């Protein structure tokens, strides 16, 4: 899912007048800030130490880090400002950006580069791609290197780049799950913001009945990660392991309940079967025929990039739940910086990645790239920044997002073959959605395909 | 292959037949140089052939016997390259998606190859009639789309097919025909073939047209004296005489059909009727780059290459007998 915001926005640091409730949050944040400042100081020291080490290894010369990223773009002044700042702090380190595509392209290119012994130094991929790269042996274990930076991000954020209690990356950005919807049209059709998936289905029915050309959302079968998150929210764990053997379970009752949910909506033609971000989807969103997108805090900037004229008509709310009153959600999307095993400047690379992702300053600078930073510094800064351009009137956007992160308590384990799973699952679900055939069969077939692939690769799979 | 296979034979023959007459008068140095010269001429071709064809083919075959397998235990055990025998071949041959992809390609080919060749022949014949006006303009105009890269052509047509952006759809809706779904399953093949038609007709037409221009005009004169009209000349004289060109373009088109990739891959993000393994090459790409299964991709590539080779040599053999009338 390469839906990460691509446009850049320099957020204006306007401070909002804080209400009593906000001040309560802020004081907790201030504590975190103090903590991460301390860590930042320690980090700065360790960064100096490690870059010193690496430059002495490289013959005391300056180090150039090859950084593969799709968030920092060379043409973007905000990205350049980040690199300039780091160069100012570490005059012997220069960072060179390469844009090699989204997660899938980056992963395959990294594998090729590793096998050709010409690995880059820092690489950005989405969290779900991490396990397959780790088992391919191309990712450096950073557990000991980032020990001092741990306080720079929350434990539930660190767990996104942790496998088997080893840390393989630092968290660039995260996706607190949110429901982004057309406030004006929801009001026009008399639909309340759904807080449960049952209400969501009812709302879908209501808007479609009012105008048959209007749908509450598009149903995009290739959004594998969304379906996994949706099932996880219901209580399913698609992949799990006991340290040795894998369990693949897409057919638990919780998981199949989510399959039934979508099958029902598709069969009743209450969601529009349409991939996301096609010219068609964009046109429908602009025309007010698609009213919402259940995704994450990054969705507004994606929608803004294709439908800037609809700004001001949208709002975001916490994701609907299976059980009324629940708040727990997993993260959706977001990405990590990893350091390749074969990086020739691993120490300097780790220092840079850690600074950018988890230091107070780096994490705040990431917010200037219009993403939701994984580090506490950036997360703190969101509370004082203006809402996304898609919803300038929704001044509590970041406060809601911040609450969602606190509610993100569901840990999703990604298996070592997510790459194989997502295409198999997406193709099969697509076909089922078009033929209106059983979604349960798709989940069962995907489980088999994932298990067979794990076994073929030589992993132990317990049934 | 024949380039390399035949040439080494020649120097030997030359040396023995001429070497005798020059005899010992010139001596061994001359003989040696005469012997080396042909090899030197062949060397560049042979080197490049080996470097850029034989070696990659050999490497692909080598890869097809290997795969990444977990060494050691653990939930996140490391995958390392290992010899897996014919596992990749059995996997590719028993993969229903690979077979289904071949089926789709055949269906697409049955639509696209005859229409592309039919229109190419028709346009070539029309351009070749004496009464035609604006010949070079028409020729360029028909050829022009060939200059548009396949990916661009697919994007272009993709927008024409999408309901919200399609002018055809707009007209159809205005005329009361309702929205047209160019991407729904049976129409998808025609929509895809249409792109091939648009961009492929020009190229094939030029080949056939060139072949038409090579026919001596006396034949037409003779036919006209015998009372044949233009239609009869076209059907009875021109088409049989350009048959070799038709076989050639046909063969290219069939090989091109098996290599169908950029059209479906470009259209895929626009619709959900094209799966990620819609044609064999997409499947191969996915195995190699999404699934990190280079071995599986190599095996499928070898199967596809051998299949194409066998099929084209069968077609060529068949037509050689019928069209070229035992030319060999």
């Amino acid at each position: 899912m390469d839906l990460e915001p691509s446009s850049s926005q320099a957020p204006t640091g306007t401070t909002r007048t804080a209400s009593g409730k906000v001040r309560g949050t802020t004081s907790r944040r201030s504590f975190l800030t103090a903590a991460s400042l301390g860590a930042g100081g320690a980090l700065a020291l360790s960064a100096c130490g490690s870059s010193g080490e690496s430059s002495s290894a490289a013959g005391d010369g300056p180090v150039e880090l090859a950084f593969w990223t799709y968030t920092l773009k060379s043409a973007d002044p905000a990205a350049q400002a980040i690199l300039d700042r780091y160069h100012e702090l570490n005059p012997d380190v220069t960072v060179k950006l390469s844009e090699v595509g989204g997660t899938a392209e980056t992963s395959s290119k990294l594998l090729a580069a590793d096998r050709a012994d010409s690995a880059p130094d820092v690489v950005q991929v989405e969290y779900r791609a991490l396990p397959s790269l780790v088992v391919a042996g191309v990712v450096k274990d950073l557990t000991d290197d980032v020990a001092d930076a741990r306080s720079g991000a929350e434990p539930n954020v660190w767990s996104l780049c942790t496998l088997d209690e080893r840390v393989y990356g630092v968290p660039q950005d995260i996706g607190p799950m949110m429901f982004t919807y057309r406030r004006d049209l929801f009001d026009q059709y008399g639909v309340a913001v759904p807080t449960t998936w049952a209400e969501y289905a009812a709302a879908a029915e209501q808007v479609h009945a009012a105008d048959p050309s209007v749908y509450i959302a598009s149903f995009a079968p290739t959004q594998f990660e969304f379906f996994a998150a949706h099932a996880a929210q219901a209580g399913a764990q698609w992949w799990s392991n006991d340290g040795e053997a894998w369990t693949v379970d897409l057919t638990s009752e919780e998981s199949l309940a989510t399959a039934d949910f979508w099958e029902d909506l598709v069969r009743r033609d209450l969601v529009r079967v349409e991939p996301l971000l096609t010219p068609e989807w964009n046109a429908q969103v602009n025309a007010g025929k698609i009213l919402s997108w259940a995704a994450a805090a990054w969705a507004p900037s994606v929608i803004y990039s294709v439908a800037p004229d609809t700004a001001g008509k949208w709002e975001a709310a916490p994701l609907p739940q299976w059980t009324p009153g629940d708040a727990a959600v997993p993260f959706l999307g977001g990405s990590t910086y990893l350091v390749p095993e074969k990086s020739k400047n691993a120490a300097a690379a780790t220092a840079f990645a850690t600074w950018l992702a988890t230091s107070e300053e780096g994490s705040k600078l990431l917010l200037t790239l219009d993403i939701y930073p994984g580090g506490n510094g950036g997360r703190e800064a969101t509370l004082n920044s203006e809402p996304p351009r898609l919803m300038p009137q929704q001044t509590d956007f970041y406060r809601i997002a911040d609450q969602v992160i606190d509610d993100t308590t569901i840990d999703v384990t990604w298996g070592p073959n997510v790459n194989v799973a997502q295409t198999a699952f997406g193709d099969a679900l697509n076909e089922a959605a078009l033929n209106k055939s059983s979604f349960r069969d798709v989940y069962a077939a995907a489980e088999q395909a994932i298990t067979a692939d794990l076994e073929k690769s030589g992993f132990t799979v317990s049934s | 292959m024949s380039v390399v296979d035949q040439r080494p034979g020649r120097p030997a023959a030359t040396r023995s037949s001429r070497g005798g007459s020059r005899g010992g008068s010139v001596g061994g140095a001359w003989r040696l140089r005469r012997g080396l010269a042909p090899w030197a001429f062949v060397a560049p071709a042979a080197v490049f052939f080996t470097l850029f064809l034989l070696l990659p083919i050999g490497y692909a075959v080598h890869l097809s016997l290997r795969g990444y397998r977990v060494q050691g235990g653990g939930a996140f055990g490391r995958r390392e390259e290992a010899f897996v025998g014919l596992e990749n071949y059995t996997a590719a041959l028993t993969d229903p998606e690979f077979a289904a992809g071949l089926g789709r390609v055949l269906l697409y080919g049955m639509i696209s190859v005859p229409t592309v060749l039919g229109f190419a022949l028709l346009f070539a014949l029309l351009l070749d009639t004496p009464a035609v006006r604006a010949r070079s303009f028409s020729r360029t105009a028909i050829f022009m789309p060939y200059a548009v890269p396949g990916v661009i052509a697919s994007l272009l047509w993709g927008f024409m097919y999408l309901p919200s952006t399609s002018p055809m759809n707009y007209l159809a809706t205005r005329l009361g025909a309702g929205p047209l779904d160019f991407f729904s399953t049976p129409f998808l093949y025609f929509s895809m073939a249409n792109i091939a038609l648009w961009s492929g007709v020009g190229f094939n037409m030029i080949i056939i047209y060139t072949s038409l221009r090579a026919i001596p005009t006396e034949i037409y004169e003779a036919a006209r004296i015998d009372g044949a009209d233009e239609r009869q000349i076209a059907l009875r004289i021109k088409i049989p005489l350009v048959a070799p060109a038709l076989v050639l373009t046909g063969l290219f088109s069939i090989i091109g059909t098996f290599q169908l990739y950029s059209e479906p891959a470009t259209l895929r993000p626009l619709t959900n009727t094209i799966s990620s393994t819609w044609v064999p090459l997409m499947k191969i790409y996915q195995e190699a780059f999404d699934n990190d299964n280079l071995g599986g991709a190599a095996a499928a590539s070898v199967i596809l290459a051998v299949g194409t080779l066998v099929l084209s040599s069968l077609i060529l053999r068949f037509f050689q007998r019928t069209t070229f009338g035992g030319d060999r």
Side-chain angles (χ1 to χ4, degrees):
Chain A
M1 190 163 50
D2 300 323
L3 304 172
E4 296 298 311
S6 54
S7 58
S8 79
Q9 172 195 31
T12 38
T14 326
T15 318
R16 246 180 278 118
T17 39
S19 68
K21 198 183 168 198
V22 177
R23 204 171 293 132
T25 326
T26 317
S27 63
R28 191 172 60 79
R29 293 275 155 253
S30 310
F31 166 73
L32 284 175
T33 312
S36 51
L37 270 176
L43 183 74
L45 288 176
S46 70
C48 290
S50 41
S51 60
E53 270 164 38
S54 81
S55 48
S56 63
D60 238 350
V63 178
E64 190 183 80
L65 297 179
F67 182 15
W68 289 4
T69 168
Y70 47 87
T71 298
L72 283 79
K73 298 188 195 312
S74 344
D76 179 1
Q80 202 52 54
I82 294 177
L83 302 189
D84 292 346
R85 175 65 186 144
Y86 192 72
H87 189 60
E88 200 183 319
L89 294 172
N90 300 272
D92 56 340
V93 180
T94 325
V95 179
K96 194 170 164 285
L97 299 179
S98 305
E99 201 182 319
V100 298
T103 295
E105 291 86 356
T106 307
S107 301
S108 55
K109 197 162 176 177
L110 177 60
L111 291 169
D114 177 82
R115 283 158 200 162
D117 287 330
S118 63
D121 302 304
V122 184
V123 178
Q124 176 193 3
V125 291
E126 280 173 89
Y127 297 109
R128 66 169 192 283
L130 202 52
S132 61
L133 293 171
V134 167
V135 301
V138 305
V139 186
K140 189 173 147 57
D141 183 339
L142 299 180
T143 316
D144 301 329
D145 308 85
V146 301
D148 294 337
R150 283 303 191 101
S151 59
E154 295 290 301
N156 62 348
V157 175
W158 276 113
S159 81
L160 291 166
C161 16
T162 308
L163 311 175
D164 232 1
E165 288 166 17
R166 307 299 295 173
V167 180
Y168 289 96
V170 288
Q172 175 198 263
D173 66 316
I174 51 178
M177 286 193 82
M178 289 173 94
F179 179 70
T180 310
Y181 64 100
R182 278 290 288 267
R183 179 62 195 257
D184 60 329
L185 295 176
F186 266 49
D187 286 346
Q188 185 189 318
Y189 294 114
V191 181
V193 183
T195 58
T196 63
W197 289 109
E199 286 177 21
Y200 179 92
E205 197 172 355
Q206 205 177 329
V207 293
H208 192 60
D211 183 343
S213 71
V214 175
Y215 293 88
I216 192 166
S218 74
F219 176 78
T222 47
Q223 299 303 300
F224 176 76
E225 193 176 356
F226 172 76
F227 294 103
H230 202 229
Q233 192 195 19
Q237 251 323 344
W238 282 8
W239 276 274
S240 53
N241 70 78
D242 58 7
E244 274 302 314
W246 282 97
T247 307
V248 181
D249 191 6
L250 276 71
T251 52
S252 66
E253 267 318 303
E254 293 89 351
S255 178
L256 290 178
T258 67
D260 292 344
F261 176 81
W262 290 114
E263 185 183 332
D264 171 58
L265 290 184
V266 168
R267 270 183 202 267
R268 290 197 285 150
D269 188 34
L270 297 181
V271 283
R272 194 189 156 97
V273 181
E274 177 78 46
L276 292 169
L277 294 168
T278 62
E280 183 68 16
W281 189 84
N282 301 349
Q284 298 286 330
V285 166
N286 272 296
K289 304 286 186 194
I290 289 175
L291 304 187
S292 73
W293 186 11
W298 40 255
S301 83
V302 178
I303 296 175
Y304 185 83
S305 69
V306 299
D309 296 341
T310 59
K313 297 173 176 171
W314 297 80
E315 274 191 17
L319 203 70
Q321 287 289 336
W322 292 103
T323 316
D326 266 9
V329 278
F331 280 121
L332 179 73
S335 52
T336 178
Y337 300 141
L338 60 86
V339 175
E341 185 74 64
K342 289 185 181 164
S343 159
K344 291 180 181 68
N345 307 303
T350 312
F352 168 70
T354 317
W355 173 80
L356 187 51
T358 58
S359 77
E360 174 80 16
E361 184 180 17
S363 171
K364 267 186 186 162
L365 284 169
L366 280 178
L367 184 61
T368 64
L369 302 175
D370 208 14
I371 56 175
Y372 200 103
N376 284 329
R379 182 178 167 191
E380 161 89 10
T382 60
L383 294 172
N384 292 323
S385 75
E386 290 203 330
R389 282 174 294 179
L390 189 67
M391 52 247 331
Q393 82 292 354
Q394 194 187 9
T395 47
D396 60 351
F397 176 87
Y398 281 117
R399 228 180 312 144
I400 297 174
D402 196 65
Q403 182 56 48
V404 171
I405 298 174
D406 283 339
D407 292 336
T408 300
T409 50
I410 301 174
D411 207 10
V412 176
T413 302
W414 295 111
N417 60 346
V418 170
N419 46 352
V420 176
Q422 62 189 5
T423 46
F425 179 86
D427 280 345
L429 191 59
N430 226 330
E431 213 178 325
L434 291 174
N435 303 337
K436 308 244 190 298
S437 57
S438 163
F439 282 22
R440 280 180 173 242
D441 290 354
V442 172
Y443 281 51
E447 182 179 301
Q448 273 181 359
I450 296 168
T451 309
D453 180 74
L454 280 176
E455 280 171 346
K456 192 189 85 180
S457 291
F459 290 103
T460 321
V461 184
S462 63
S463 47
Chain B
M1 266 271 199
S2 59
V3 181
V4 165
D5 286 345
Q6 288 170 6
R7 287 202 183 168
R10 241 179 249 164
T14 320
R15 195 167 47 216
S16 62
S17 62
R18 296 217 182 145
S21 65
R22 306 244 169 196
S25 60
V26 183
W30 168 256
R31 191 172 301 206
L32 190 67
R33 219 186 308 153
R34 289 278 298 178
L36 277 179
W39 292 104
F41 282 121
V42 163
V47 166
F48 281 110
F49 182 79
T50 313
L51 271 184
F52 297 112
L53 210 66
L54 291 186
L55 276 181
I57 290 175
Y59 186 59
V61 172
H62 163 80
L63 271 183
S64 72
L65 301 173
R66 306 186 68 83
Y68 293 101
R69 298 290 181 264
V70 173
Q71 312 293 321
F76 292 100
R78 303 295 186 258
R79 294 163 74 227
E80 277 165 35
E81 203 182 309
F83 178 77
V84 296
L86 293 176
E87 230 175 84
N88 291 325
Y89 285 94
T90 38
L93 288 170
T94 54
D95 184 357
E97 260 314 298
F98 191 64
L102 277 174
R104 291 187 200 106
V105 148
L106 284 179
L107 193 56
Y108 161 85
M110 277 159 64
I111 301 167
S112 73
V113 175
T115 40
V116 169
L117 292 187
F119 275 100
L121 179 63
L122 179 69
F123 287 141
L125 288 172
L126 286 176
L127 282 178
D128 196 47
T129 47
V132 76
R133 298 278 158 82
R135 176 174 294 147
S136 74
F137 168 77
S138 316
R139 201 175 52 206
T140 315
I142 298 170
F143 184 72
M144 197 92 83
Y146 180 69
V148 177
V151 174
I152 311 273
S154 309
L155 272 180
L156 218 128
W157 279 102
F159 277 94
M160 305 264 259
Y161 292 153
L162 278 173
S164 293
T165 55
S166 165
M168 282 108 73
N169 197 50
Y170 176 79
L171 281 180
T173 319
R174 277 298 159 95
L175 297 172
L180 307 169
D181 194 352
F182 292 99
F183 287 127
S184 64
T185 303
F187 301 110
L188 177 64
Y189 293 90
F190 292 95
S191 305
M192 200 99 65
N194 179 51
I195 301 175
L197 186 67
W198 183 76
S199 46
V201 160
F203 173 75
N204 291 298
M205 178 201 74
I206 292 288
I207 294 182
I208 299 171
Y209 180 70
T210 315
S211 157
L212 274 174
R213 301 305 281 178
I215 299 172
T217 44
E218 297 84 46
I219 302 181
Y220 303 147
E221 259 169 60
R224 285 196 192 95
I225 289 165
D226 286 346
D229 59 21
E230 284 304 319
R231 198 178 54 85
Q232 282 170 319
I233 291 177
L235 288 178
R236 303 263 173 84
I237 296 171
K238 290 180 178 176
I239 294 183
L241 283 176
V242 296
L246 281 175
V247 170
L248 184 76
T249 51
L251 194 69
F252 284 169
S253 301
I254 289 169
I255 293 175
T257 298
F258 280 101
Q259 294 172 351
L260 182 68
Y261 175 78
S262 54
E263 285 84 358
T266 313
L267 292 179
R268 190 176 118 71
L270 303 182
T271 171
N272 39 29
T273 47
I274 302 174
S275 65
S276 61
T277 53
W278 205 72
V279 288
L281 278 195
M282 286 170 80
K283 171 81 187 161
I284 290 170
Y285 179 90
Q286 188 195 62
E287 285 296 340
F289 299 111
D290 292 336
N291 296 355
D292 190 28
N293 179 12
L294 274 181
S301 305
V302 169
I303 293 171
L304 189 67
V306 169
T308 312
L309 198 70
V310 168
L311 190 73
S312 27
S313 58
L314 281 180
I315 292 172
L316 213 55
R317 181 158 300 182
F318 172 75
F319 279 110
Q320 237 153 17
R321 224 171 275 152
T322 54
T323 357
F324 301 101
D327 237 14
R328 292 181 67 175

